[in-house]
Amino acid sequence: MTWRGNRNTWLILWLFGAHIFIFSSLSPAFATQESTGFPWSFLKDHRTQILQLASDDEALTFFRSTTTIEPKGSRIYKKSQSVPTQLNLPAEIIEAIISYLKSLAVSNHAQLFREILVKPTTGIPPLSDVIPGEAHLQWIMTHSTLQGLKPIIDGYRQVSAWSHMTTSHPIPPDEEFAKFASYYDQTYQDWDESPQSWTSLFTRHGQKGIEDRLLEYWKTTNHPATTHQPFLPVQDAYTQHYIETRLLPMFRMTLLTKTSELEATAYGKSWEAWQKIQQWQQQEQINSASTRLCGTWRWVVHNHQNHGDRKMTVTFSPPDQSSPSQIAPSAIEIHGDTVYLKWTFPQGVQEDSLLLSNNDSHLEGTFKNSLGPHGSISGKRLSTCQP
């Protein structure tokens, strides 16, 4: 088996090897994306809706509709707890939600391109079978970090069209093709974005630019095909064979590299936006809980260890304030009428599991301290915070 006779096979193998290297090195997050939950599972569950979004308003409305119920394993709370009924969200959170959905869409498109390009087949589906509506594409590509999708779409369109137009021709049983291929292999070695590279030529002038360059060999040699019409089929056969065995696999490899890079970038951006949304929602949850508890309470704490009671006054300050005379809980969570408080002290921690009742005027439940004490808490509101 010779290299020249099996160039196409070697390029396909290289295509697979390079894909594995690029994907594993540029996007380590993909290795565990199935187990990470959000945002990958969010895209999986809502792919159809996400790929139909075409404006910021649609994106915000869609996001609100999907966060009314807390998905398993996520930190999204019920609408009544974190996401307002009206879209009166902070500007930075609106931006994060839009970025999140755009990034997921681009990640989806890049993944689809990657899966198609890595398959060891000559033809690839036409662009119309792969991409969604034009309005959707225009919307997602307004994101500055995701504009790399456009050259990928353009490149895919060219490669797809050319792969369907290219027809195999038998190569004459002589050594002339080896000279033909060697001329181009040595004269045009660059595959980067330099002006004379095959990639740049293909980007600027498409199929015609490539075919015009592949006529150059016949003009710079004394081959009979330059003067005799019967040799025109030979020129065409050499040109098409060089395209099939050298150029199309390399164009696919270049496109695959860019696609994998964009997929990693988009997925990273979606995680960045998602974490920002989570942090905001968690803070909103804390603020909401603090507002509900806000005020002064009379607590009676019964310690089961010594059966002693202790009466105390507990003040919960507004979310944007703190009480200098009293330690504040390090965590406050309210789910329905259930209250969870965590107190952190130099000696340890205490956790309270309580229940609000009588229009939030009573608070009953239990506590457990890491040092051993445990028992019950009975609280009565003395006053509320002034608006």
Side-chain angles (χ1 to χ4, degrees):
M1 181 174 68
T2 64
W3 166 259
R4 184 171 63 250
N6 296 275
R7 177 75 174 238
N8 195 29
T9 301
W10 284 105
L11 286 172
I12 293 297
L13 293 174
W14 182 40
L15 187 70
F16 274 111
H19 160 69
I20 294 172
F21 170 76
I22 292 167
F23 194 60
S24 61
S25 62
L26 291 178
S27 185
F30 294 149
T32 57
Q33 64 189 15
E34 294 285 6
S35 62
T36 54
F38 276 81
W40 187 254
S41 63
F42 187 83
L43 174 61
K44 181 180 179 181
D45 293 340
H46 304 287
R47 190 184 308 273
T48 300
Q49 298 97 313
I50 291 174
L51 300 185
Q52 291 175 348
L53 298 175
S55 70
D56 292 353
D57 288 342
E58 289 182 9
L60 293 171
T61 301
F62 162 73
F63 184 81
R64 182 185 60 174
S65 70
T66 58
T67 57
T68 54
I69 300 177
E70 179 181 357
K72 182 180 179 181
S74 77
R75 292 303 299 263
I76 294 287
Y77 298 96
K78 291 184 180 180
K79 185 193 303 183
S80 61
Q81 296 176 334
S82 71
V83 180
T85 303
Q86 302 298 323
L87 292 178
N88 53 339
L89 306 175
E92 63 271 18
I93 299 306
I94 291 177
E95 182 180 353
I97 292 172
I98 294 170
S99 176
Y100 175 61
L101 295 174
K102 286 183 177 181
S103 298
L104 285 181
V106 171
S107 178
N108 176 86
H109 300 324
Q111 179 193 24
L112 184 55
F113 283 136
R114 172 177 57 81
E115 291 173 349
I116 292 172
L117 291 168
V118 78
K119 291 179 181 178
T121 56
T122 303
I124 58 178
L127 188 62
S128 58
D129 293 349
V130 180
I131 63 172
E134 186 64 27
H136 169 77
L137 290 177
Q138 291 180 357
W139 174 67
I140 60 177
M141 286 191 291
T142 57
H143 194 298
S144 58
T145 309
L146 307 177
Q147 290 178 355
L149 181 61
K150 186 179 187 307
I152 289 175
I153 290 176
D154 293 340
Y156 183 92
R157 181 184 290 109
Q158 290 178 307
V159 170
S160 174
W162 203 2
S163 65
H164 285 88
M165 293 173 60
T166 302
T167 305
S168 298
H169 295 268
I171 299 298
D174 57 30
E175 294 297 320
E176 191 64 35
F177 179 76
K179 298 177 183 178
F180 176 89
S182 177
Y183 171 82
Y184 287 105
D185 290 346
Q186 297 180 27
T187 305
Y188 302 102
Q189 298 182 13
D190 293 336
W191 284 93
D192 54 18
E193 301 295 333
S194 61
Q196 293 300 313
S197 70
W198 290 105
T199 302
S200 295
L201 180 65
F202 189 50
T203 301
R204 294 195 313 269
H205 303 292
Q207 177 182 354
K208 187 176 188 307
I210 296 296
E211 292 178 343
D212 287 346
R213 176 178 283 183
L214 291 176
L215 292 176
E216 183 180 297
Y217 172 79
W218 310 105
K219 299 176 182 178
T220 58
T221 65
N222 294 321
H223 195 280
T226 59
T227 56
H228 296 284
Q229 285 294 105
F231 283 92
L232 286 178
V234 174
Q235 295 181 24
D236 191 42
Y238 284 6
T239 295
Q240 296 304 322
H241 192 66
Y242 191 84
I243 290 172
E244 291 175 16
T245 59
R246 260 72 159 185
L247 300 186
L248 274 178
M250 291 304 297
F251 290 144
R252 289 179 61 157
M253 183 65 241
T254 301
L255 192 58
L256 177 61
T257 301
K258 294 179 179 179
T259 299
S260 298
E261 290 174 350
L262 179 64
E263 185 178 3
T265 298
Y267 199 72
K269 280 293 178 183
S270 69
W271 265 110
E272 181 182 315
W274 176 242
Q275 290 172 347
K276 188 171 184 178
I277 296 167
Q278 278 190 305
Q279 291 168 1
W280 172 79
Q281 288 176 323
Q282 291 165 11
Q283 187 59 50
E284 285 295 297
Q285 172 73 2
I286 293 173
N287 291 345
S288 175
S290 299
T291 299
R292 192 170 176 188
L293 289 176
C294 190
T296 303
W297 297 75
R298 172 67 71 180
W299 278 17
V300 178
V301 180
H302 178 77
N303 187 345
H304 290 330
Q305 277 192 328
N306 56 22
H307 301 287
D309 289 338
R310 180 185 177 189
K311 296 180 180 180
M312 64 179 69
T313 300
V314 180
T315 299
F316 293 99
S317 302
D320 56 346
Q321 299 178 19
S322 61
S323 176
S325 60
Q326 177 184 297
I327 186 171
S330 55
I332 302 176
E333 295 183 15
I334 295 183
H335 301 276
D337 291 328
T338 302
V339 179
Y340 167 79
L341 302 177
K342 182 177 182 180
W343 309 81
T344 303
F345 308 100
Q347 300 85 0
V349 298
Q350 177 174 308
E351 295 178 295
D352 304 341
S353 298
L354 309 168
L355 185 67
L356 281 165
S357 61
N358 294 345
N359 295 322
D360 295 351
S361 64
H362 287 76
L363 197 59
E364 311 282 344
T366 61
F367 75 92
K368 184 176 182 180
N369 193 292
S370 60
L371 298 180
H374 61 282
S376 63
I377 296 175
S378 177
K380 181 178 180 180
R381 186 189 292 276
L382 300 179
S383 66
T384 60
C385 292
Q386 297 300 317

Short mmCIF file of all heavy atoms in Angstrom, two decimals, residues 12 38 57 65 83 89 110 122 140 151 155 169 211-212 228 253 274-275 286 300 312 318 344 370 372 379:
data_model
loop_
_atom_site.label_atom_id
_atom_site.label_comp_id
_atom_site.label_asym_id
_atom_site.label_seq_id
_atom_site.Cartn_x
_atom_site.Cartn_y
_atom_site.Cartn_z
N ILE A 12 -8.63 10.76 5.73
CA ILE A 12 -9.81 10.48 6.55
C ILE A 12 -9.40 10.07 7.96
O ILE A 12 -9.97 10.52 8.96
CB ILE A 12 -10.66 9.36 5.91
CG1 ILE A 12 -11.27 9.85 4.59
CG2 ILE A 12 -11.74 8.90 6.86
CD1 ILE A 12 -12.24 11.02 4.78
N PHE A 38 -27.49 21.20 34.10
CA PHE A 38 -27.58 22.45 33.36
C PHE A 38 -26.19 22.88 32.94
O PHE A 38 -25.24 22.68 33.68
CB PHE A 38 -28.21 23.51 34.25
CG PHE A 38 -29.71 23.46 34.24
CD1 PHE A 38 -30.40 22.56 35.02
CD2 PHE A 38 -30.42 24.31 33.42
CE1 PHE A 38 -31.78 22.52 34.99
CE2 PHE A 38 -31.81 24.27 33.39
CZ PHE A 38 -32.49 23.37 34.18
N ASP A 57 -37.01 39.54 23.26
CA ASP A 57 -38.29 39.42 23.96
C ASP A 57 -38.76 37.96 23.97
O ASP A 57 -39.26 37.46 24.99
CB ASP A 57 -39.35 40.30 23.30
CG ASP A 57 -39.12 41.78 23.57
OD1 ASP A 57 -38.37 42.10 24.52
OD2 ASP A 57 -39.67 42.62 22.83
N SER A 65 -41.02 31.10 31.12
CA SER A 65 -41.99 30.00 31.08
C SER A 65 -41.37 28.67 31.49
O SER A 65 -42.06 27.79 31.98
CB SER A 65 -42.56 29.87 29.66
OG SER A 65 -41.58 29.38 28.76
N VAL A 83 -38.35 34.26 40.17
CA VAL A 83 -38.51 34.93 38.89
C VAL A 83 -39.81 35.73 38.92
O VAL A 83 -40.88 35.14 39.00
CB VAL A 83 -38.52 33.93 37.73
CG1 VAL A 83 -38.69 34.65 36.41
CG2 VAL A 83 -37.23 33.13 37.73
N LEU A 89 -36.55 42.44 35.49
CA LEU A 89 -35.27 41.88 35.91
C LEU A 89 -34.17 42.93 35.78
O LEU A 89 -34.26 43.83 34.94
CB LEU A 89 -34.92 40.67 35.04
CG LEU A 89 -35.96 39.55 34.96
CD1 LEU A 89 -35.50 38.49 33.98
CD2 LEU A 89 -36.20 38.95 36.32
N ALA A 110 -23.04 24.26 16.24
CA ALA A 110 -21.65 23.83 16.06
C ALA A 110 -21.51 22.33 16.26
O ALA A 110 -20.78 21.65 15.52
CB ALA A 110 -20.75 24.59 17.04
N THR A 122 -17.88 11.30 1.72
CA THR A 122 -17.50 12.39 0.81
C THR A 122 -18.56 13.49 0.81
O THR A 122 -18.26 14.67 0.94
CB THR A 122 -17.32 11.86 -0.62
OG1 THR A 122 -16.34 10.83 -0.60
CG2 THR A 122 -16.86 12.98 -1.54
N ILE A 140 -28.94 35.26 16.98
CA ILE A 140 -27.87 34.71 17.81
C ILE A 140 -26.51 35.29 17.43
O ILE A 140 -25.63 35.43 18.27
CB ILE A 140 -27.82 33.17 17.75
CG1 ILE A 140 -27.58 32.68 16.33
CG2 ILE A 140 -29.07 32.57 18.33
CD1 ILE A 140 -27.45 31.17 16.24
N PRO A 151 -18.77 32.63 9.49
CA PRO A 151 -17.81 32.02 8.56
C PRO A 151 -17.91 30.51 8.51
O PRO A 151 -17.61 29.90 7.47
CB PRO A 151 -16.45 32.48 9.10
CG PRO A 151 -16.69 32.95 10.49
CD PRO A 151 -18.09 33.44 10.52
N GLY A 155 -18.51 28.60 5.11
CA GLY A 155 -17.61 27.52 4.70
C GLY A 155 -18.33 26.21 4.48
O GLY A 155 -18.04 25.47 3.52
N HIS A 169 -13.51 10.85 -11.64
CA HIS A 169 -13.07 10.52 -13.00
C HIS A 169 -11.92 9.54 -12.90
O HIS A 169 -11.06 9.67 -12.02
CB HIS A 169 -12.60 11.78 -13.74
CG HIS A 169 -13.69 12.78 -13.97
ND1 HIS A 169 -14.45 12.81 -15.11
CD2 HIS A 169 -14.15 13.79 -13.20
CE1 HIS A 169 -15.34 13.80 -15.04
NE2 HIS A 169 -15.17 14.41 -13.88
N GLU A 211 -10.43 25.77 -9.02
CA GLU A 211 -10.28 25.14 -10.33
C GLU A 211 -9.37 25.96 -11.25
O GLU A 211 -8.61 25.39 -12.04
CB GLU A 211 -11.66 24.94 -10.96
CG GLU A 211 -12.49 23.90 -10.21
CD GLU A 211 -13.88 23.72 -10.78
OE1 GLU A 211 -14.31 24.62 -11.55
OE2 GLU A 211 -14.53 22.71 -10.46
N ASP A 212 -9.44 27.28 -11.14
CA ASP A 212 -8.54 28.12 -11.93
C ASP A 212 -7.09 27.87 -11.53
O ASP A 212 -6.19 27.80 -12.40
CB ASP A 212 -8.88 29.60 -11.76
CG ASP A 212 -10.17 29.98 -12.46
OD1 ASP A 212 -10.64 29.18 -13.30
OD2 ASP A 212 -10.70 31.08 -12.19
N HIS A 228 -3.54 20.20 -27.03
CA HIS A 228 -4.38 19.26 -27.76
C HIS A 228 -5.71 19.05 -27.02
O HIS A 228 -5.72 18.68 -25.85
CB HIS A 228 -3.67 17.91 -27.94
CG HIS A 228 -2.41 18.03 -28.77
ND1 HIS A 228 -2.43 18.17 -30.14
CD2 HIS A 228 -1.10 18.04 -28.40
CE1 HIS A 228 -1.18 18.25 -30.61
NE2 HIS A 228 -0.36 18.18 -29.56
N MET A 253 -11.38 19.49 7.26
CA MET A 253 -10.58 19.49 8.48
C MET A 253 -10.47 20.91 9.04
O MET A 253 -10.61 21.12 10.26
CB MET A 253 -9.18 18.95 8.18
CG MET A 253 -8.28 18.84 9.41
SD MET A 253 -8.90 17.64 10.59
CE MET A 253 -9.17 18.70 12.00
N TRP A 274 -25.10 31.00 32.82
CA TRP A 274 -25.95 30.22 33.72
C TRP A 274 -25.55 30.41 35.18
O TRP A 274 -26.40 30.54 36.07
CB TRP A 274 -25.87 28.75 33.33
CG TRP A 274 -26.63 27.83 34.25
CD1 TRP A 274 -26.14 26.83 35.01
CD2 TRP A 274 -28.04 27.84 34.49
NE1 TRP A 274 -27.13 26.21 35.71
CE2 TRP A 274 -28.32 26.82 35.41
CE3 TRP A 274 -29.10 28.63 34.01
CZ2 TRP A 274 -29.61 26.56 35.86
CZ3 TRP A 274 -30.38 28.37 34.47
CH2 TRP A 274 -30.62 27.34 35.37
N GLN A 275 -24.26 30.42 35.45
CA GLN A 275 -23.80 30.63 36.82
C GLN A 275 -24.19 32.02 37.33
O GLN A 275 -24.55 32.18 38.51
CB GLN A 275 -22.28 30.43 36.88
CG GLN A 275 -21.86 28.98 36.69
CD GLN A 275 -20.36 28.81 36.55
OE1 GLN A 275 -19.64 29.78 36.35
NE2 GLN A 275 -19.89 27.58 36.66
N ILE A 286 -32.57 34.55 48.99
CA ILE A 286 -32.16 35.01 50.32
C ILE A 286 -32.87 36.31 50.66
O ILE A 286 -33.38 36.50 51.77
CB ILE A 286 -30.63 35.18 50.38
CG1 ILE A 286 -29.95 33.82 50.26
CG2 ILE A 286 -30.22 35.88 51.67
CD1 ILE A 286 -28.44 33.90 50.13
N VAL A 300 -38.67 31.23 72.31
CA VAL A 300 -38.46 30.36 73.47
C VAL A 300 -37.78 29.10 72.96
O VAL A 300 -38.36 28.35 72.16
CB VAL A 300 -39.79 30.01 74.18
CG1 VAL A 300 -39.51 29.06 75.35
CG2 VAL A 300 -40.48 31.27 74.68
N MET A 312 -35.37 34.62 74.32
CA MET A 312 -34.48 35.59 73.66
C MET A 312 -35.26 36.40 72.64
O MET A 312 -36.33 35.98 72.16
CB MET A 312 -33.31 34.87 72.97
CG MET A 312 -33.72 33.95 71.83
SD MET A 312 -32.32 33.15 71.03
CE MET A 312 -31.78 32.05 72.34
N PRO A 318 -33.59 43.92 57.41
CA PRO A 318 -33.89 43.93 55.97
C PRO A 318 -32.70 43.41 55.17
O PRO A 318 -31.56 43.44 55.65
CB PRO A 318 -34.18 45.40 55.67
CG PRO A 318 -34.57 45.98 57.00
CD PRO A 318 -33.78 45.24 58.02
N THR A 344 -23.64 30.28 61.90
CA THR A 344 -22.24 29.88 61.95
C THR A 344 -21.54 30.65 63.07
O THR A 344 -21.53 31.88 63.08
CB THR A 344 -21.54 30.15 60.61
OG1 THR A 344 -22.24 29.46 59.57
CG2 THR A 344 -20.09 29.67 60.65
N SER A 370 -24.08 21.68 66.34
CA SER A 370 -22.99 20.74 66.09
C SER A 370 -22.25 20.36 67.36
O SER A 370 -21.53 19.35 67.39
CB SER A 370 -22.01 21.33 65.08
OG SER A 370 -21.44 22.55 65.57
N GLY A 372 -23.80 19.54 70.12
CA GLY A 372 -24.62 18.59 70.85
C GLY A 372 -26.00 19.05 71.20
O GLY A 372 -26.96 18.24 71.15
N GLY A 379 -41.55 30.62 68.35
CA GLY A 379 -41.35 32.05 68.17
C GLY A 379 -42.63 32.79 67.87
O GLY A 379 -43.53 32.26 67.22
#
